[in-house]
Amino acid sequence: MFLLFDEAGKFMAGRVLSEAESSAQVELDSGKRVKVKAANMLIKFEKPSPAEFMATAQAASQDIELEMAWEFAPDEEFGFADLARDYFSPQAPLSEQAAMLFRLFESPHYFRRAGKGRFRKASADVIAQALAAIEKKKLVALQITQWANELGAGQCPEPVREQLYKILFKPDKNAPEYKAVVEAARATHTAPLALLQKSGAIASPYLFHWKRFLLENFPKGTGFPALAAPAIDESALPLSSAQAFSIDDSQTTEIDDALSVQGLGSGTITLGIHIAAPGLAIQSGDAVDQIGRTRLSTVYMPGYKVTMLPDALVQTYTLQAGRDCPALSLYVTLDEATLEIKGHESRIERVSIAHNLRHDQLDAIVTEPWLLDPSFNHENEPQPLPALREQLSFLYRLAKDLKAKREIVRGKPETFNRPDYNFRLVGNDGAEPQGSETVQISTRQRGAPLDLIVAEAMILANSTWGSWMAELGVPGIYRSQASLAPGVKVRMGTKALPHAGIGVKSYAWSSSPLRRYVDLVNQWQIIACVQHGKTAALAAPFKPKDASLFSIISSFDEAYSAYNGYQGAMERFWTLKYLQQNGITELEASVFKDNMVRADTLPLVLPVMGGQNLPRGARVRVKLGEMDLITLDISGTVVERLDTPAAEQGLADNAEDEAEDDEVSGPIAIAVDVSEPAESIDAAPNDNPAP
């Protein structure tokens, strides 16, 4: 005796070994034995063999006309054997009954399952809709095949081109455009990204990176809604006696900070650190705040930036020369001779901004000899440098002293052996780049005097205000680093913990409220400290253990990391374009780890062949290989060593110190998965330091 039965929606047949009232033991052709419940038993037969019986029934099922079977079927629930006798003949053999079972089971648009071997016919309207859907699915399948063939032939269908970035990075895996890319990649044995490149889908490597960034971070675009800048009641703010000046790059429009020096020659100096005060107008939870909290930071890239706040609003609060600007000021009192800090005071006030200095225009003039030697002069020194020379000289002396004291706490000196690189896109003038611009790359040594002055002043402000908030019990957003041991990273939190990398006991970003959201949050808290003193914790917008602070930290960390990653990728893109535009095929570089080198005069790290036995710091000449502006990959081959083995001493330590923050371009992570089972696819229809 043989038995046809239903096993979890799959039909099987085998030899009955034993049978009880509620179940039977059945042996399959494979030799496997299964227990079959009585409810799952469908047909018992004597011959032929199970395999032959199943094959005959499956073949016969395809000859059954569904429309006719539907006509024969009763309106009420029925069994497959009953319909087989109505359709074939009253004496329909078991093989024909099985054929009807299989045909009914595989046609849910005509017959709905009502139990084991039981069915109910669908209404005419449901059938019409189902048949239309099936026909549509066939047409979509044909369209997918056509698009896949075009992609395989090196042509990109327009619908695929329009969905390119969504397909690659945020796909709807049921969309026909996505399926066409998968099908073409499988058929041609080509990686999806390479396939789309060959088909011409990616017209511009630069726009590929830009649109990908927008899709992931600004899916609604980078524009701002129409917003008026909240006004500050300046009449309520006293005017400071200080005459302040800012120091920024020429491209900077968000001027957050300025400095002033009073009391030169008196023995007691008052250093003023003045920060733009949008926190006096923008309130937590208002429309402007919601924009800032969504964007969290300005995004920088060569030749362009996406600001955190609308430019018109920024210009309302920026520290523009010639204006008395609302500011949050930190006044630090120092001994002029010893530079010992005697005390500090914070004020909310208006500050006269006398000058906006631009370090890229002045670095060649404001040098260490010019600052330290009053007799050292340049010809035709531009205004207002002569009038500011004494103040700048004091600030430079103070900056060096502050840095030296931090390095004692830090445990080792900060090294600035590598320069900063400035990118300029010729003729771009701040417009959105297209990727074809001529790029110029210039160098600027880290730790240049004007840089050092600003950096140390901001570190002093951020650490002083951070400690003051902690003393008053006012929560803030802090950056901390437990130690300089390898692998110990900078973290953000709400506790005032030491920052080993900077060498301060606490550090709260507060000096860039126009371009970093955490600085704006901290400014609100500091303003509360200034206005309420010891009771500030009760009046500050964010209270101790406020869950929203942790939410801000989490969102900021994610966004800031993404923005910095994109900035790094775009700097690498324009560096590769620079090589391309200038026909550079060889570079001088330094080894910083096995088979990895850093270019001596460009911001470029790349893997090389032939560098495995060279010590860290060894200088080499590298012949460049092919570059890929989509993946940002480039490699090279060491063709010559430029230094001598006798010069190896000390190279490794220096290279190791500098290698910690280097990253090399890796494969672009896309969301197209050609390894997914086919059935799952087809089933459904900077200006300030930032340590």
Side-chain angles (χ1 to χ4, degrees), residues 109-124:
H109 50 295
Y110 276 93
F111 301 97
R112 291 178 293 147
R113 299 160 198 165
K116 301 295 183 181
R118 306 289 296 175
F119 299 88
R120 184 184 292 274
K121 71 178 184 179
S123 68

Side-chain angles (χ1 to χ4, degrees), residues 38-299:
N40 295 337
M41 300 178 190
L42 298 172
I43 297 176
K44 294 180 180 178
F45 58 97
E46 297 289 345
K47 59 181 180 178
S49 67
E52 185 179 348
F53 181 83
M54 294 283 284
T56 300
Q58 289 285 7
S61 72
Q62 300 308 304
D63 293 331
I64 297 174
E65 296 182 19
L66 287 172
E67 295 83 354
M68 184 179 294
W70 185 82
E71 291 288 350
F72 277 108
D75 292 333
E76 64 275 7
E77 183 182 310
F78 61 89
F80 67 91
D82 298 328
L83 184 58
R85 285 188 283 268
D86 289 339
Y87 181 88
F88 291 108
S89 70
Q91 294 78 34
L94 294 178
S95 60
E96 290 181 342
Q97 294 178 29
M100 182 59 71
L101 171 66
F102 297 158
R103 189 61 165 157
L104 294 174
F105 192 84
E106 68 183 18
S107 308
H109 50 295
Y110 276 93
F111 301 97
R112 291 178 293 147
R113 299 160 198 165
K116 301 295 183 181
R118 306 289 296 175
F119 299 88
R120 184 184 292 274
K121 71 178 184 179
S123 68
D125 288 344
V126 169
I127 292 174
Q129 293 173 10
L131 292 176
I134 291 171
E135 185 62 26
K136 182 179 179 180
K137 186 174 181 180
K138 289 179 181 177
L139 293 176
V140 170
L142 289 173
Q143 183 67 81
I144 291 170
T145 301
Q146 179 184 335
W147 286 342
N149 291 339
E150 291 179 27
L151 286 167
Q155 298 177 340
C156 182
E158 193 59 32
V160 174
R161 191 189 307 275
E162 291 174 357
Q163 296 290 319
L164 174 66
Y165 302 98
K166 188 174 180 181
I167 290 169
L168 287 174
F169 303 112
K170 290 189 176 181
D172 172 3
K173 295 189 176 182
N174 290 319
E177 294 85 357
Y178 174 86
K179 293 182 180 181
V181 172
V182 172
E183 186 174 313
R186 286 174 173 168
T188 60
H189 303 287
T190 306
L193 187 57
L195 172 79
L196 291 164
Q197 284 181 263
K198 292 177 182 177
S199 69
I202 303 172
S204 163
Y206 179 84
L207 292 180
F208 169 82
H209 294 291
W210 174 235
K211 290 185 177 181
R212 174 194 179 188
F213 175 74
L214 292 180
L215 177 70
E216 294 178 343
N217 298 279
F218 295 90
K220 296 181 180 179
T222 59
F224 291 99
L227 283 175
I232 297 175
D233 182 7
E234 297 187 15
S235 64
L237 302 180
L239 179 64
S240 170
S241 60
Q243 294 290 305
F245 55 89
S246 65
I247 304 174
D248 294 280
D249 186 86
S250 294
Q251 306 303 314
T252 300
T253 56
E254 304 146 296
I255 303 175
D256 291 289
D257 55 83
L259 304 173
S260 65
V261 178
Q262 299 177 81
L264 287 170
S266 69
T268 300
I269 302 293
T270 300
L271 164 67
I273 302 172
H274 312 283
I275 307 301
L280 293 173
I282 302 170
Q283 300 300 311
S284 178
D286 69 14
V288 178
D289 172 50
Q290 289 175 24
I291 290 176
R293 187 162 179 173
T294 298
R295 297 206 173 189
L296 294 163
S297 172
T298 291
V299 187

Side-chain angles (χ1 to χ4, degrees), residues 305-566:
K305 65 182 177 182
V306 178
T307 57
M308 180 179 77
L309 299 173
D311 186 63
L313 188 145
V314 167
Q315 295 313 307
T316 301
Y317 310 121
T318 192
L319 302 182
Q320 183 66 45
R323 287 168 30 185
D324 296 339
C325 299
L328 173 62
S329 298
L330 174 67
Y331 289 99
V332 181
T333 305
L334 307 109
D335 184 288
E336 187 171 9
T338 65
L339 300 179
E340 180 186 356
I341 294 177
K342 299 294 188 179
H344 66 82
E345 179 186 4
S346 296
R347 302 176 194 162
I348 300 169
E349 59 186 3
R350 287 177 296 134
V351 177
S352 297
I353 307 300
H355 310 286
N356 292 142
L357 304 184
R358 304 298 185 175
H359 58 61
D360 53 311
Q361 299 172 2
L362 301 177
D363 273 348
I365 299 170
V366 184
T367 60
E368 187 168 65
W370 185 85
L371 290 164
L372 299 182
D373 183 358
S375 66
F376 184 92
N377 292 289
H378 297 283
E379 290 185 9
N380 302 318
E381 290 180 358
Q383 295 295 334
L385 283 187
L388 294 176
R389 185 169 186 172
E390 190 176 2
Q391 295 182 50
L392 290 171
S393 295
F394 173 80
L395 288 172
Y396 183 56
R397 182 165 72 93
L398 174 63
K400 291 200 299 180
D401 182 73
L402 291 171
K403 181 174 183 288
K405 290 174 180 175
R406 287 193 302 101
E407 288 176 340
I408 292 173
V409 178
R410 190 175 185 268
K412 65 177 181 178
E414 293 176 333
T415 55
F416 298 117
N417 295 329
R418 300 206 308 272
D420 285 325
Y421 292 93
N422 297 323
F423 293 78
R424 178 173 178 264
L425 306 186
V426 177
N428 185 54
D429 297 327
E432 184 178 313
Q434 298 301 305
S436 57
E437 293 84 354
T438 298
V439 59
Q440 297 175 346
I441 302 177
S442 58
T443 60
R444 185 160 167 266
Q445 188 60 42
R446 292 186 184 183
L450 289 177
D451 259 353
L452 186 65
I453 287 170
V454 174
E456 291 301 327
M458 296 311 113
I459 291 173
L460 178 60
N462 291 335
S463 58
T464 301
W465 274 331
S467 296
W468 190 40
M469 284 193 291
E471 289 170 9
L472 295 176
V474 175
I477 298 178
Y478 293 87
R479 292 174 68 80
S480 64
Q481 186 178 19
S483 76
L484 291 179
V488 179
K489 297 183 178 181
V490 175
R491 299 186 180 278
M492 297 188 77
T494 59
K495 293 183 179 180
L497 300 174
H499 194 310
I502 302 177
V504 293
K505 65 178 183 180
S506 67
Y507 190 74
W509 266 345
S510 313
S511 53
S512 296
L514 293 175
R515 47 189 161 178
R516 277 193 310 242
Y517 186 70
V518 294
D519 298 57
L520 178 60
V521 169
N522 282 336
Q523 184 173 93
W524 283 325
Q525 303 297 86
I526 297 166
I527 288 173
C529 293
V530 175
Q531 293 176 334
H532 300 278
K534 293 182 179 180
T535 62
L538 301 175
F542 298 94
K543 305 301 187 288
K545 298 183 180 180
D546 192 325
S548 59
L549 278 180
F550 296 98
S551 175
I552 291 169
I553 290 171
S554 175
S555 299
F556 181 85
D557 265 340
E558 182 179 356
Y560 204 62
S561 176
Y563 297 170
N564 284 340
Y566 181 70

Side-chain angles (χ1 to χ4, degrees), residues 638-658:
V638 174
V639 295
E640 180 185 2
R641 180 166 180 181
L642 300 176
D643 56 359
T644 61
E648 290 179 9
Q649 185 174 0
L651 291 177
D653 291 339
N654 290 336
E656 187 171 3
D657 286 342
E658 295 188 358

